[in-house]
Amino acid sequence: MEQEKYEQPWVLVRGAGDLATGVITRLHRCGFRVVATECAAPSAIRRSAALCEAVWRNLMQVEDVVARRITTAAQAAEVAQAGEMPLLVDEAAACIDTLHPAAVVDAIIAKRNVGTHRGMAPITVGLGPGFTAGQDVDAVIETMRGHQLGRVIWQGTAIPDTGVPGDIEGYALKRVIHAPSSGTMRYVPDGVGHLVDIGTAVQAGQVIARIDATPVYATIDGVLRGLIRVGYPVTKGLKIADIDSRPEQITMCETVSDKALAIGGGVVEALLMLARERSIRLL
């Protein structure tokens, strides 16, 4: 009797925003069989470095990794076999009942647990605040910038959310822009008629977008690293843009950030350690 062919198990990543994309790209390159789930209307501002854009565009590439939107879990294997990463709109991760992943990674970055628990898979990992290692997940990855970024936490929680963005060149709160009102996101032309978008160099006080008729102003000089997609129905206070004061970032807007890569490395470490400890095959 011919030996049954081994089918590599799934690693399911909940979320495909820019930080989750760092996780997905590292797992994909290391040979893990990755599938991602997303909500129906992701609001990532670093769109050019976020695989969740596949929800809107059906296909999204970040560096060398391609995400393809699928409509049913049954399509995942064919997409993965072609070398792409299947992405399913499935906010509740109901596809777990079909795919039976060996590991689930919650990379939603909601600052709270939105439903991930250890019963979902033999291995569970949560990113950032909202999870307790040893209780609702097996391991937690630190997401706060600084010395602990990307470290695996085996007992306890990540550093609590401070509500203050990480400091870059002395800018923290000022580099992130929130919607001054509710309405529809509109893009605007710059001084020479080009639409202001991700990768545009901007100056403090410049109008970088409008929410209906309300102008959105740049808070600092720098590179517009993130801008929520045009036409998005924003609510007052929603994070809609991110400016990086480092001029060299103008060439890096379409690549995974240092922070996302560090977090992704922590996830790889946690998965491999847990798989070895529990004799679970992932690769």
Side-chain angles (χ1 to χ4, degrees):
M1 183 176 179
E2 186 178 347
Q3 186 177 3
E4 184 179 352
K5 184 179 179 181
Y6 168 75
E7 186 176 66
Q8 185 178 4
W10 291 103
V11 174
L12 186 146
V13 179
R14 300 189 69 188
D18 63 297
L19 294 183
T21 295
V23 174
I24 293 166
T25 54
R26 286 214 141 161
L27 291 174
H28 184 85
R29 290 167 183 155
C30 289
F32 293 90
R33 193 179 187 217
V34 185
V35 59
T37 59
E38 253 298 348
C39 63
S43 59
I45 60 173
R46 285 208 66 208
R47 294 174 291 109
S48 57
L51 290 170
C52 65
E53 275 292 287
V55 171
W56 303 102
R57 298 163 49 177
N58 292 322
L59 200 69
M60 179 63 183
Q61 181 169 350
V62 176
E63 298 186 18
D64 59 336
V65 178
V66 175
R68 182 179 294 276
R69 179 175 177 174
I70 57 176
T71 55
T72 68
Q75 298 170 319
E78 182 179 358
V79 171
Q81 182 64 33
E84 299 174 341
M85 196 279 300
L87 184 147
L88 184 66
V89 173
D90 180 10
E91 195 164 354
C95 64
I96 285 175
D97 293 339
T98 300
L99 299 177
H100 306 291
V104 169
V105 179
D106 189 317
I108 298 172
I109 318 291
K111 312 296 175 64
R112 59 188 176 88
N113 189 336
V114 294
T116 295
H117 56 84
R118 295 173 82 180
M120 285 181 159
I123 295 172
T124 51
V125 178
L127 271 56
F131 304 98
T132 301
Q135 292 185 23
D136 48 356
V137 292
D138 298 309
V140 172
I141 310 301
E142 183 56 67
T143 57
M144 178 71 76
R145 286 188 185 273
H147 186 70
Q148 303 301 325
L149 177 63
R151 291 182 185 268
V152 183
I153 300 166
W154 298 107
Q155 290 292 329
T157 63
I159 298 170
D161 180 34
T162 63
V164 178
D167 187 290
I168 297 179
E169 289 199 330
Y171 295 106
L173 285 171
K174 290 187 73 174
R175 70 178 181 84
V176 175
I177 300 172
H178 296 83
S181 62
S182 297
T184 302
M185 188 70 175
R186 310 289 186 193
Y187 286 3
V188 298
D190 61 15
V192 294
H194 299 137
L195 283 182
V196 175
D197 202 348
I198 292 172
T200 300
V202 298
Q203 295 181 323
Q206 176 182 342
V207 176
I208 59 171
R210 292 185 183 277
I211 300 173
D212 291 333
T214 303
V216 178
Y217 298 99
T219 47
I220 60 174
D221 295 348
V223 178
L224 194 59
R225 192 175 70 159
L227 187 66
I228 203 166
R229 67 174 19 253
V230 67
Y232 198 90
V234 305
T235 54
K236 184 177 181 179
L238 180 70
K239 183 168 68 174
I240 57 171
D242 180 358
I243 301 174
D244 196 309
S245 60
R246 298 169 292 182
E248 66 273 14
Q249 288 294 309
I250 202 164
T251 63
M252 302 177 189
C253 293
E254 297 182 356
T255 59
V256 176
S257 70
D258 54 348
K259 180 178 180 178
L261 285 176
I263 293 169
V267 171
V268 172
E269 177 183 336
L271 292 182
L272 291 178
M273 290 183 68
L274 287 164
R276 180 182 62 186
E277 181 183 289
R278 300 175 180 182
S279 299
I280 296 171
R281 186 172 181 181
L282 292 178
L283 294 168

